[in-house]
Amino acid sequence: RNFDNLEALCSGDLEQIRRIERDGRNLMKLAILSDTHGLLRPAVLEYLQTAELIHGGDINKPEIAEQLRQYAPLYIVRGNNDRGEWAETIPHDLTVTLEGVTFAVVHNKKELPADLTGVDVAVFGHSHKYVQEKKDGVLWLNPGSCGPRRFHQEITMMMADLTDGQLQVEKISLPHEVK
């Protein structure tokens, strides 16, 4: 199996790299971001090279959504600032299961359904404030904002490893300046 992993890495096959086996178990890399507001920072793009993507809305520009789709499968919802014809095709909310973990994704936390039966992780954005807390059996995640800095808040996103129905999340703090 290690030879298969090596072959995937050497071939540059990103789909295989995203699902490398570790100790005989599938591992999926996942980038979770929100509130890009028309800006994809170079530091963010580095993390997207080998991960599938969940975006919690407020993309602001169709070019940003298209650019994200070039990296990997994109699971995206529409935020309150995503307006116009281009945004009408983006769902308001989304439920997706990846490697045995079920995600409910919406931009504003207040718009999540009260009954989250069957949901493992609730992903939202809107507030630009990083949140990672387990409540009533559901992991609540807000990656913060990795777009233009606002309200003197940190610029953040998340990287996660999904393995056999388990999720490990890492907070990523990004530099304020855009190079």
Side-chain angles (χ1 to χ4, degrees):
R1 289 188 178 178
N2 288 337
F3 290 113
D4 292 339
N5 292 344
L6 181 61
E7 184 177 316
L9 291 170
C10 291
S11 71
D13 185 337
L14 293 179
E15 187 62 33
Q16 286 185 22
I17 292 170
R18 286 186 195 100
R19 286 192 167 83
I20 295 292
E21 285 189 22
R22 293 248 171 100
D23 301 323
R25 301 180 306 164
N26 283 330
L27 170 69
M28 176 191 222
K29 299 294 273 179
L30 183 64
I32 305 171
L33 52 149
S34 186
D35 297 281
T36 46
H37 290 282
L39 173 65
L40 275 179
R41 296 168 177 274
V44 170
L45 295 176
E46 289 178 29
Y47 286 99
L48 305 184
Q49 300 295 323
T50 59
E52 295 195 22
L53 312 171
I54 292 179
H55 194 299
D58 273 0
I59 306 123
N60 283 72
K61 295 179 183 176
E63 303 84 41
I64 299 296
E66 287 309 312
Q67 190 175 358
L68 290 170
R69 282 187 182 98
Q70 292 175 12
Y71 285 93
L74 175 63
Y75 307 96
I76 191 168
V77 295
R78 184 174 57 241
N80 59 299
N81 288 301
D82 298 324
R83 299 183 187 114
E85 220 172 285
W86 72 272
E88 291 174 9
T89 62
I90 299 171
H92 174 269
D93 55 88
L94 179 68
T95 302
V96 62
T97 300
L98 304 170
E99 295 296 324
V101 177
T102 300
F103 294 83
V105 187
V106 69
H107 182 61
N108 190 331
K109 180 181 179 180
K110 294 176 184 177
E111 296 172 354
L112 279 163
D115 182 8
L116 291 174
T117 302
V119 171
D120 301 302
V121 183
V123 176
F124 59 98
H126 189 61
S127 70
H128 296 217
K129 294 179 183 173
Y130 187 93
V131 172
Q132 182 179 341
E133 65 182 3
K134 189 115 181 185
K135 191 167 57 177
D136 299 325
V138 175
L139 180 59
W140 294 78
L141 299 177
N142 182 337
S145 172
C146 60
R149 186 173 186 211
R150 294 184 178 178
F151 318 120
H152 301 289
Q153 291 177 338
E154 229 180 338
I155 299 167
T156 58
M157 62 177 281
M158 297 172 167
M159 289 300 296
D161 290 338
L162 287 123
T163 309
D164 295 332
Q166 299 297 313
L167 180 72
Q168 290 185 328
V169 179
E170 176 187 1
K171 177 180 180 179
I172 306 295
S173 296
L174 300 164
H176 294 180
E177 66 280 345
V178 178
K179 295 180 181 177

mmCIF file of all heavy atoms in Angstrom, residues 84-116:
data_model
loop_
_atom_site.group_PDB
_atom_site.id
_atom_site.type_symbol
_atom_site.label_atom_id
_atom_site.label_comp_id
_atom_site.label_asym_id
_atom_site.label_seq_id
_atom_site.Cartn_x
_atom_site.Cartn_y
_atom_site.Cartn_z
ATOM 1 N N GLY A 84 -27.160 38.170 -7.333
ATOM 2 C CA GLY A 84 -27.091 38.227 -8.782
ATOM 3 C C GLY A 84 -27.354 36.868 -9.392
ATOM 4 O O GLY A 84 -27.500 35.851 -8.702
ATOM 5 N N GLU A 85 -27.412 36.870 -10.699
ATOM 6 C CA GLU A 85 -27.735 35.654 -11.442
ATOM 7 C C GLU A 85 -26.768 34.515 -11.148
ATOM 8 O O GLU A 85 -27.158 33.365 -11.009
ATOM 9 C CB GLU A 85 -27.715 35.978 -12.940
ATOM 10 C CG GLU A 85 -28.815 35.314 -13.702
ATOM 11 C CD GLU A 85 -28.872 35.808 -15.119
ATOM 12 O OE1 GLU A 85 -29.337 36.943 -15.333
ATOM 13 O OE2 GLU A 85 -28.434 35.041 -15.988
ATOM 14 N N TRP A 86 -25.475 34.834 -11.040
ATOM 15 C CA TRP A 86 -24.465 33.797 -10.815
ATOM 16 C C TRP A 86 -24.710 33.047 -9.507
ATOM 17 O O TRP A 86 -24.463 31.859 -9.393
ATOM 18 C CB TRP A 86 -23.060 34.394 -10.823
ATOM 19 C CG TRP A 86 -22.757 35.220 -9.603
ATOM 20 C CD1 TRP A 86 -23.007 36.545 -9.424
ATOM 21 C CD2 TRP A 86 -22.167 34.767 -8.380
ATOM 22 N NE1 TRP A 86 -22.613 36.946 -8.175
ATOM 23 C CE2 TRP A 86 -22.087 35.877 -7.509
ATOM 24 C CE3 TRP A 86 -21.696 33.534 -7.940
ATOM 25 C CZ2 TRP A 86 -21.562 35.795 -6.232
ATOM 26 C CZ3 TRP A 86 -21.162 33.453 -6.650
ATOM 27 C CH2 TRP A 86 -21.095 34.576 -5.809
ATOM 28 N N ALA A 87 -25.230 33.751 -8.488
ATOM 29 C CA ALA A 87 -25.399 33.151 -7.163
ATOM 30 C C ALA A 87 -26.676 32.319 -7.054
ATOM 31 O O ALA A 87 -26.798 31.507 -6.133
ATOM 32 C CB ALA A 87 -25.398 34.237 -6.100
ATOM 33 N N GLU A 88 -27.606 32.488 -7.978
ATOM 34 C CA GLU A 88 -28.875 31.767 -7.895
ATOM 35 C C GLU A 88 -28.700 30.254 -8.011
ATOM 36 O O GLU A 88 -29.542 29.506 -7.535
ATOM 37 C CB GLU A 88 -29.841 32.283 -8.965
ATOM 38 C CG GLU A 88 -30.309 33.698 -8.665
ATOM 39 C CD GLU A 88 -31.150 34.289 -9.793
ATOM 40 O OE1 GLU A 88 -31.519 33.555 -10.724
ATOM 41 O OE2 GLU A 88 -31.409 35.502 -9.719
ATOM 42 N N THR A 89 -27.629 29.811 -8.628
ATOM 43 C CA THR A 89 -27.395 28.371 -8.774
ATOM 44 C C THR A 89 -26.734 27.756 -7.540
ATOM 45 O O THR A 89 -26.641 26.536 -7.430
ATOM 46 C CB THR A 89 -26.509 28.084 -10.005
ATOM 47 O OG1 THR A 89 -25.243 28.716 -9.821
ATOM 48 C CG2 THR A 89 -27.164 28.583 -11.283
ATOM 49 N N ILE A 90 -26.286 28.584 -6.621
ATOM 50 C CA ILE A 90 -25.639 28.095 -5.397
ATOM 51 C C ILE A 90 -26.727 27.844 -4.353
ATOM 52 O O ILE A 90 -27.551 28.721 -4.091
ATOM 53 C CB ILE A 90 -24.601 29.116 -4.878
ATOM 54 C CG1 ILE A 90 -23.508 29.328 -5.924
ATOM 55 C CG2 ILE A 90 -24.004 28.658 -3.552
ATOM 56 C CD1 ILE A 90 -22.558 30.457 -5.606
ATOM 57 N N PRO A 91 -26.737 26.666 -3.744
ATOM 58 C CA PRO A 91 -27.799 26.368 -2.776
ATOM 59 C C PRO A 91 -27.687 27.210 -1.502
ATOM 60 O O PRO A 91 -26.596 27.615 -1.099
ATOM 61 C CB PRO A 91 -27.588 24.885 -2.460
ATOM 62 C CG PRO A 91 -26.158 24.619 -2.762
ATOM 63 C CD PRO A 91 -25.791 25.553 -3.892
ATOM 64 N N HIS A 92 -28.839 27.459 -0.885
ATOM 65 C CA HIS A 92 -28.889 28.180 0.388
ATOM 66 C C HIS A 92 -28.311 27.319 1.510
ATOM 67 O O HIS A 92 -27.637 27.815 2.413
ATOM 68 C CB HIS A 92 -30.339 28.553 0.703
ATOM 69 C CG HIS A 92 -30.520 29.163 2.040
ATOM 70 N ND1 HIS A 92 -30.802 28.413 3.164
ATOM 71 C CD2 HIS A 92 -30.428 30.438 2.456
ATOM 72 C CE1 HIS A 92 -30.882 29.210 4.212
ATOM 73 N NE2 HIS A 92 -30.668 30.446 3.811
ATOM 74 N N ASP A 93 -28.598 26.031 1.461
ATOM 75 C CA ASP A 93 -28.083 25.098 2.468
ATOM 76 C C ASP A 93 -27.739 23.792 1.775
ATOM 77 O O ASP A 93 -28.195 23.536 0.653
ATOM 78 C CB ASP A 93 -29.105 24.879 3.592
ATOM 79 C CG ASP A 93 -30.440 24.414 3.064
ATOM 80 O OD1 ASP A 93 -30.613 23.194 2.925
ATOM 81 O OD2 ASP A 93 -31.304 25.272 2.779
ATOM 82 N N LEU A 94 -26.949 22.989 2.444
ATOM 83 C CA LEU A 94 -26.437 21.773 1.829
ATOM 84 C C LEU A 94 -26.174 20.737 2.917
ATOM 85 O O LEU A 94 -25.662 21.078 3.991
ATOM 86 C CB LEU A 94 -25.127 22.109 1.101
ATOM 87 C CG LEU A 94 -24.365 21.017 0.391
ATOM 88 C CD1 LEU A 94 -25.139 20.528 -0.822
ATOM 89 C CD2 LEU A 94 -23.007 21.540 -0.045
ATOM 90 N N THR A 95 -26.529 19.498 2.625
ATOM 91 C CA THR A 95 -26.151 18.382 3.494
ATOM 92 C C THR A 95 -25.341 17.415 2.645
ATOM 93 O O THR A 95 -25.769 17.043 1.549
ATOM 94 C CB THR A 95 -27.388 17.676 4.075
ATOM 95 O OG1 THR A 95 -28.159 18.631 4.810
ATOM 96 C CG2 THR A 95 -26.977 16.542 5.001
ATOM 97 N N VAL A 96 -24.161 17.074 3.119
ATOM 98 C CA VAL A 96 -23.272 16.190 2.366
ATOM 99 C C VAL A 96 -22.570 15.245 3.340
ATOM 100 O O VAL A 96 -22.229 15.638 4.463
ATOM 101 C CB VAL A 96 -22.247 17.006 1.536
ATOM 102 C CG1 VAL A 96 -21.346 17.849 2.422
ATOM 103 C CG2 VAL A 96 -21.429 16.119 0.631
ATOM 104 N N THR A 97 -22.395 13.995 2.908
ATOM 105 C CA THR A 97 -21.672 13.021 3.716
ATOM 106 C C THR A 97 -20.352 12.703 3.030
ATOM 107 O O THR A 97 -20.323 12.331 1.859
ATOM 108 C CB THR A 97 -22.500 11.732 3.908
ATOM 109 O OG1 THR A 97 -23.726 12.083 4.561
ATOM 110 C CG2 THR A 97 -21.753 10.715 4.758
ATOM 111 N N LEU A 98 -19.264 12.899 3.750
ATOM 112 C CA LEU A 98 -17.913 12.655 3.255
ATOM 113 C C LEU A 98 -17.212 11.695 4.208
ATOM 114 O O LEU A 98 -17.116 11.980 5.408
ATOM 115 C CB LEU A 98 -17.127 13.966 3.160
ATOM 116 C CG LEU A 98 -17.741 15.076 2.312
ATOM 117 C CD1 LEU A 98 -16.985 16.386 2.518
ATOM 118 C CD2 LEU A 98 -17.735 14.674 0.844
ATOM 119 N N GLU A 99 -16.738 10.574 3.669
ATOM 120 C CA GLU A 99 -16.020 9.568 4.473
ATOM 121 C C GLU A 99 -16.769 9.222 5.759
ATOM 122 O O GLU A 99 -16.179 9.089 6.829
ATOM 123 C CB GLU A 99 -14.606 10.053 4.809
ATOM 124 C CG GLU A 99 -13.703 10.214 3.606
ATOM 125 C CD GLU A 99 -13.413 8.911 2.870
ATOM 126 O OE1 GLU A 99 -13.292 7.860 3.515
ATOM 127 O OE2 GLU A 99 -13.310 8.957 1.632
ATOM 128 N N GLY A 100 -18.102 9.113 5.657
ATOM 129 C CA GLY A 100 -18.907 8.694 6.794
ATOM 130 C C GLY A 100 -19.290 9.790 7.768
ATOM 131 O O GLY A 100 -19.925 9.525 8.786
ATOM 132 N N VAL A 101 -18.928 11.046 7.482
ATOM 133 C CA VAL A 101 -19.263 12.178 8.344
ATOM 134 C C VAL A 101 -20.283 13.039 7.606
ATOM 135 O O VAL A 101 -20.046 13.467 6.473
ATOM 136 C CB VAL A 101 -18.008 13.016 8.696
ATOM 137 C CG1 VAL A 101 -18.384 14.237 9.527
ATOM 138 C CG2 VAL A 101 -16.985 12.160 9.431
ATOM 139 N N THR A 102 -21.437 13.312 8.239
ATOM 140 C CA THR A 102 -22.489 14.107 7.613
ATOM 141 C C THR A 102 -22.387 15.558 8.066
ATOM 142 O O THR A 102 -22.400 15.853 9.264
ATOM 143 C CB THR A 102 -23.881 13.536 7.948
ATOM 144 O OG1 THR A 102 -23.928 12.187 7.461
ATOM 145 C CG2 THR A 102 -24.978 14.346 7.279
ATOM 146 N N PHE A 103 -22.284 16.439 7.078
ATOM 147 C CA PHE A 103 -22.157 17.880 7.293
ATOM 148 C C PHE A 103 -23.451 18.572 6.885
ATOM 149 O O PHE A 103 -23.992 18.283 5.817
ATOM 150 C CB PHE A 103 -21.039 18.458 6.416
ATOM 151 C CG PHE A 103 -19.664 17.982 6.747
ATOM 152 C CD1 PHE A 103 -19.195 16.773 6.248
ATOM 153 C CD2 PHE A 103 -18.817 18.741 7.543
ATOM 154 C CE1 PHE A 103 -17.918 16.325 6.539
ATOM 155 C CE2 PHE A 103 -17.538 18.306 7.841
ATOM 156 C CZ PHE A 103 -17.084 17.099 7.338
ATOM 157 N N ALA A 104 -23.935 19.503 7.707
ATOM 158 C CA ALA A 104 -24.999 20.428 7.330
ATOM 159 C C ALA A 104 -24.313 21.781 7.189
ATOM 160 O O ALA A 104 -23.645 22.246 8.121
ATOM 161 C CB ALA A 104 -26.088 20.491 8.390
ATOM 162 N N VAL A 105 -24.451 22.410 6.021
ATOM 163 C CA VAL A 105 -23.742 23.662 5.736
ATOM 164 C C VAL A 105 -24.754 24.750 5.413
ATOM 165 O O VAL A 105 -25.665 24.547 4.609
ATOM 166 C CB VAL A 105 -22.763 23.490 4.543
ATOM 167 C CG1 VAL A 105 -21.921 24.744 4.362
ATOM 168 C CG2 VAL A 105 -21.875 22.264 4.728
ATOM 169 N N VAL A 106 -24.597 25.901 6.039
ATOM 170 C CA VAL A 106 -25.427 27.069 5.792
ATOM 171 C C VAL A 106 -24.591 28.297 6.129
ATOM 172 O O VAL A 106 -23.618 28.201 6.884
ATOM 173 C CB VAL A 106 -26.735 27.004 6.625
ATOM 174 C CG1 VAL A 106 -26.475 27.160 8.105
ATOM 175 C CG2 VAL A 106 -27.762 27.992 6.144
ATOM 176 N N HIS A 107 -24.927 29.447 5.574
ATOM 177 C CA HIS A 107 -24.119 30.638 5.854
ATOM 178 C C HIS A 107 -24.377 31.179 7.260
ATOM 179 O O HIS A 107 -23.452 31.410 8.021
ATOM 180 C CB HIS A 107 -24.376 31.719 4.806
ATOM 181 C CG HIS A 107 -23.538 32.936 5.007
ATOM 182 N ND1 HIS A 107 -22.150 32.897 4.958
ATOM 183 C CD2 HIS A 107 -23.868 34.214 5.286
ATOM 184 C CE1 HIS A 107 -21.676 34.114 5.181
ATOM 185 N NE2 HIS A 107 -22.701 34.927 5.391
ATOM 186 N N ASN A 108 -25.633 31.384 7.606
ATOM 187 C CA ASN A 108 -25.982 31.973 8.895
ATOM 188 C C ASN A 108 -26.459 30.869 9.840
ATOM 189 O O ASN A 108 -27.429 30.174 9.555
ATOM 190 C CB ASN A 108 -27.080 33.023 8.710
ATOM 191 C CG ASN A 108 -27.332 33.848 9.953
ATOM 192 O OD1 ASN A 108 -27.135 33.386 11.073
ATOM 193 N ND2 ASN A 108 -27.785 35.071 9.759
ATOM 194 N N LYS A 109 -25.803 30.745 10.960
ATOM 195 C CA LYS A 109 -26.109 29.698 11.949
ATOM 196 C C LYS A 109 -27.588 29.674 12.319
ATOM 197 O O LYS A 109 -28.167 28.617 12.544
ATOM 198 C CB LYS A 109 -25.249 29.945 13.196
ATOM 199 C CG LYS A 109 -25.436 28.973 14.317
ATOM 200 C CD LYS A 109 -24.538 29.347 15.488
ATOM 201 C CE LYS A 109 -24.702 28.410 16.655
ATOM 202 N NZ LYS A 109 -23.830 28.793 17.771
ATOM 203 N N LYS A 110 -28.224 30.844 12.350
ATOM 204 C CA LYS A 110 -29.637 30.944 12.721
ATOM 205 C C LYS A 110 -30.547 30.226 11.731
ATOM 206 O O LYS A 110 -31.694 29.944 12.034
ATOM 207 C CB LYS A 110 -30.060 32.410 12.816
ATOM 208 C CG LYS A 110 -29.389 33.169 13.931
ATOM 209 C CD LYS A 110 -29.787 34.627 13.898
ATOM 210 C CE LYS A 110 -29.041 35.406 14.962
ATOM 211 N NZ LYS A 110 -29.359 36.839 14.907
ATOM 212 N N GLU A 111 -30.018 29.928 10.537
ATOM 213 C CA GLU A 111 -30.831 29.293 9.500
ATOM 214 C C GLU A 111 -30.668 27.772 9.453
ATOM 215 O O GLU A 111 -31.248 27.119 8.589
ATOM 216 C CB GLU A 111 -30.512 29.929 8.145
ATOM 217 C CG GLU A 111 -30.901 31.394 8.123
ATOM 218 C CD GLU A 111 -30.454 32.135 6.896
ATOM 219 O OE1 GLU A 111 -29.721 31.562 6.066
ATOM 220 O OE2 GLU A 111 -30.833 33.305 6.753
ATOM 221 N N LEU A 112 -29.892 27.228 10.384
ATOM 222 C CA LEU A 112 -29.805 25.765 10.490
ATOM 223 C C LEU A 112 -31.109 25.249 11.087
ATOM 224 O O LEU A 112 -31.707 25.904 11.947
ATOM 225 C CB LEU A 112 -28.629 25.354 11.373
ATOM 226 C CG LEU A 112 -27.275 25.353 10.694
ATOM 227 C CD1 LEU A 112 -26.152 25.352 11.721
ATOM 228 C CD2 LEU A 112 -27.135 24.171 9.752
ATOM 229 N N PRO A 113 -31.556 24.079 10.662
ATOM 230 C CA PRO A 113 -32.791 23.533 11.242
ATOM 231 C C PRO A 113 -32.586 23.199 12.720
ATOM 232 O O PRO A 113 -31.472 22.894 13.149
ATOM 233 C CB PRO A 113 -33.045 22.270 10.418
ATOM 234 C CG PRO A 113 -31.746 21.924 9.789
ATOM 235 C CD PRO A 113 -30.972 23.199 9.657
ATOM 236 N N ALA A 114 -33.673 23.269 13.482
ATOM 237 C CA ALA A 114 -33.597 22.948 14.911
ATOM 238 C C ALA A 114 -33.256 21.475 15.115
ATOM 239 O O ALA A 114 -32.537 21.124 16.045
ATOM 240 C CB ALA A 114 -34.914 23.296 15.588
ATOM 241 N N ASP A 115 -33.771 20.615 14.230
ATOM 242 C CA ASP A 115 -33.530 19.178 14.339
ATOM 243 C C ASP A 115 -32.342 18.796 13.456
ATOM 244 O O ASP A 115 -32.444 18.811 12.233
ATOM 245 C CB ASP A 115 -34.779 18.406 13.918
ATOM 246 C CG ASP A 115 -34.604 16.898 14.059
ATOM 247 O OD1 ASP A 115 -33.577 16.450 14.627
ATOM 248 O OD2 ASP A 115 -35.500 16.169 13.592
ATOM 249 N N LEU A 116 -31.239 18.474 14.075
ATOM 250 C CA LEU A 116 -30.036 18.072 13.339
ATOM 251 C C LEU A 116 -29.786 16.569 13.465
ATOM 252 O O LEU A 116 -28.645 16.118 13.414
ATOM 253 C CB LEU A 116 -28.825 18.871 13.836
ATOM 254 C CG LEU A 116 -28.834 20.354 13.477
ATOM 255 C CD1 LEU A 116 -27.665 21.083 14.142
ATOM 256 C CD2 LEU A 116 -28.795 20.558 11.973
#
